[in-house]
Amino acid sequence: MRYKIGVDLGGTTVKMGLFTSECELIEDWEIVTDKSDNGANILNDIASSIDEKLEANNITKNLVDGLGIGVPGPVVNGVVYGCTNIGWGDVNLVDELSELIGLQVYADNDANVAALGEYFAGSGKDYSSILMVTLGTGVGGGIIIDGNIIQGFNGYAGELGHMLVNFNETDMCTCGKCGCLEQYSSATGVKRLALKHLSESNNESSLKEFGETINAKIVFEEAKKGDNVALKTVDECLTMLGRGIANVCHVINPEAVILGGGMSNAGDYMMRKLRSEFDAGMIFIKKDTKLVLASLGSRAGIYGACHLVG
Amino acid sequence: MRYKIGVDLGGTTVKMGLFTSECELIEDWEIVTDKSDNGANILNDIASSIDEKLEANNITKNLVDGLGIGVPGPVVNGVVYGCTNIGWGDVNLVDELSELIGLQVYADNDANVAALGEYFAGSGKDYSSILMVTLGTGVGGGIIIDGNIIQGFNGYAGELGHMLVNFNETDMCTCGKCGCLEQYSSATGVKRLALKHLSESNNESSLKEFGETINAKIVFEEAKKGDNVALKTVDECLTMLGRGIANVCHVINPEAVILGGGMSNAGDYMMRKLRSEFDAGMIFIKKDTKLVLASLGSRAGIYGACHLVG
């Protein structure tokens, strides 16, 4: 039997998976991401953890086809160009990690890798091309066409969180522009909108009692119950998301759009509204573009990383 | 010596080129597009014209590697799914044309094929990936990554003319939506904007004397001379174009954006303004994305079609 390894390097934990060479998950585990010293220990920690796991399973390295890894920053030709949330500057990831671990290493951006996971092992597996949109603290994305990641010249393809979707916005995004998709359709964006609508509204709202502890989950739940301020917030979030996704679909025309990340837990409630906004923004091909929920959850990254291995 | 043939099927003329097998142009010519009878004669006309040309050059078909063709409609796997402006419904173009002409045929959408031409033989030849934007009667586009056309699941990739860029628009686009890029940044869109601004303005304007004969070329020329209404029109055209292109670059992050089509004749004057709008809409990578003018003019299509031939 032969094996592959998938690694998903995040700001809080490093998720890892031991797979068969056909990318069937055997076992997954995680370690804490050590961000001290600008993340200088992270690659050593990963290498040690994998060495232990292989030893525990009596697997020698000559039986391992390679290791794939997704990281939270742009990657071109195996080199990472900065991961601010783990303290990295430019890192020649493929060379450094393969030297440490003695395996062939393949690397890409985490959002792209998650998209690859859903494409091969999740909701995308029936489609030839997908756009994956991850609705978390921010809005991330990845594009897979015929099994290949669209990486972009600088490793920034799929950055749809910073598409401009509202040219009337006066509040500033973290990137310095005004009107980015992320300002409406991320968890942070939903909280921002809800607090703004609450402060502007004289109506009763069940959101008031939550105050600053309000979050996207609460807003979606209260919207389902019919609260007006919550409904207005969800409406704005999904209008902008529908516009943004429709614009992307005019450019790459994927067979399916896969929605993942924490906010996608709102499920069918979210998808119905999103579908109608998307259709309003599309011409011709709108009925042919599938909109589906992701199915791998937080394991999308390790599956995708495994599929990076050639 | 071996040969390839490139064909660019347009609504008015069919442009054709005889190339070496290394895609060096030997001779180009054109015939009128016969739109009678829902375009039923077009393929026969193309086949006859090429037969004549090969005969006149004493080239036998066994010396021709194949024929590439760009058509004004979506193409998937050699099948055209409707070309309204030449009267075609669904046409199995590759099968029908290769049967008529006795050559291997390769087909794609005209905007994609023009992009492929600029990529291999024009302004794109130094770049690994490009977005080509064609500013004509409408706004078309094509995406080439590592030498491959991004075709889209329905053949609609690169349709950036119908991205929404203005959510406050009340005038309707030909597609039925309001606020499409094409409503501002096509020749038709510039005329629409100029007439609108003229009717709303009490100021003197050199555009007034042109009345309904106004066109994009006149508007750009009068803007260069400092006319206020023309300047306002050009400003709106390029603001929307810059926004639209920036949004696309967040999604596919190409190395270069190539501007072609009649309106691109405004040249440096247009590019300076466009660059500043583009930069305002981009984060991080804006300085790395080149914006350049197309260089093949109306021959981009035949060059690209030649490069379709495998």
Side-chain angles (χ1 to χ4, degrees), chain B:
Chain B
M1 191 163 172
R2 296 193 61 80
Y3 303 89
K4 289 179 179 173
I5 294 166
V7 179
D8 182 15
L9 171 51
T12 312
T13 60
V14 185
K15 296 183 176 63
M16 292 179 264
L18 175 65
F19 292 83
T20 68
S21 59
E22 284 77 38
C23 299
E24 299 288 334
L25 182 62
I26 297 168
E27 183 185 350
D28 64 340
W29 73 100
E30 63 183 49
I31 59 173
V32 170
T33 306
D34 176 4
K35 289 189 279 192
S36 67
D37 204 9
N38 286 326
N41 306 312
I42 292 174
L43 293 184
N44 273 311
D45 291 349
I46 292 173
S48 305
S49 180
I50 289 168
D51 281 344
E52 283 168 26
K53 187 63 65 177
L54 292 177
E55 204 171 352
N57 284 273
N58 288 316
I59 298 170
T60 53
K61 286 198 180 153
N62 63 328
L63 294 175
V64 181
D65 292 338
L67 176 152
I69 180 168
V71 300
V75 179
V76 179
N77 294 328
V79 178
V80 184
Y81 292 97
C83 295
T84 45
N85 67 342
I86 56 172
W88 285 5
D90 294 356
V91 176
N92 194 330
L93 178 60
V94 161
D95 286 1
E96 290 189 23
L97 187 55
S98 63
E99 175 121 342
L100 280 172
I101 202 163
L103 290 170
Q104 187 87 39
V105 171
Y106 305 81
D108 212 307
N109 169 265
D110 55 0
N112 293 343
V113 168
L116 195 69
E118 288 289 343
Y119 181 89
F120 279 115
S123 297
K125 64 186 171 189
D126 294 330
Y127 306 117
S128 59
S129 54
I130 65 163
L131 164 70
M132 173 146 176
V133 183
T134 306
L135 305 168
T137 314
V139 175
I143 300 161
I144 313 294
I145 300 178
D146 295 332
N148 298 309
I149 290 171
I150 302 299
Q151 198 173 53
F153 178 63
N154 311 82
Y156 276 105
E159 275 288 337
L160 61 165
H162 296 285
M163 290 176 65
L164 292 175
V165 290
N166 182 2
F167 303 106
N168 303 321
E169 183 59 75
T170 52
D171 288 356
M172 198 181 276
C173 180
T174 51
C175 77
K177 297 185 298 165
C178 298
C180 292
L181 179 57
E182 196 157 291
Q183 288 181 277
Y184 310 91
S185 308
S186 65
T188 324
V190 169
K191 179 174 179 171
R192 178 186 78 90
L193 288 176
L195 291 172
K196 184 167 159 250
H197 293 322
L198 271 181
S199 75
E200 290 166 1
S201 167
N202 295 317
N203 296 338
E204 274 308 297
S205 167
S206 56
L207 293 178
K208 278 187 181 157
E209 62 181 288
F210 297 98
E212 279 290 329
T213 68
I214 213 165
N215 61 37
K217 185 162 179 276
I218 291 168
V219 173
F220 272 84
E221 275 167 5
E222 296 305 312
K224 277 186 206 174
K225 292 179 199 158
D227 181 74
N228 277 322
V229 175
L231 278 168
K232 188 177 175 188
T233 302
V234 166
D235 189 72
E236 197 170 349
C237 160
L238 296 178
T239 297
M240 296 301 181
L241 185 59
R243 285 179 181 178
I245 292 177
N247 275 356
V248 176
C249 288
H250 277 114
V251 177
I252 56 164
N253 181 203
E255 186 172 3
V257 179
I258 314 245
L259 281 298
M263 266 177 53
S264 67
N265 292 330
D268 288 346
Y269 175 76
M270 182 183 85
M271 293 301 269
R272 276 195 301 276
K273 169 80 180 151
L274 184 61
R275 179 89 237 178
S276 92
E277 291 297 336
F278 175 81
D279 285 356
M282 289 298 286
I283 49 164
F284 315 134
I285 53 173
K286 57 192 182 188
K287 292 189 189 108
D288 290 337
T289 308
K290 286 88 180 172
L291 299 188
V292 292
L293 289 166
S295 63
L296 297 178
S298 61
R299 287 197 176 97
I302 58 169
Y303 271 98
C306 172
H307 279 279
L308 280 180
V309 180

Side-chain angles (χ1 to χ4, degrees), chain A residues 1-3 54-55 57-64 103:
Chain A
M1 190 161 169
R2 298 193 59 82
Y3 303 89
L54 291 177
E55 203 171 70
N57 284 273
N58 287 316
I59 297 170
T60 53
K61 286 199 179 152
N62 63 328
L63 294 176
V64 182
L103 290 171

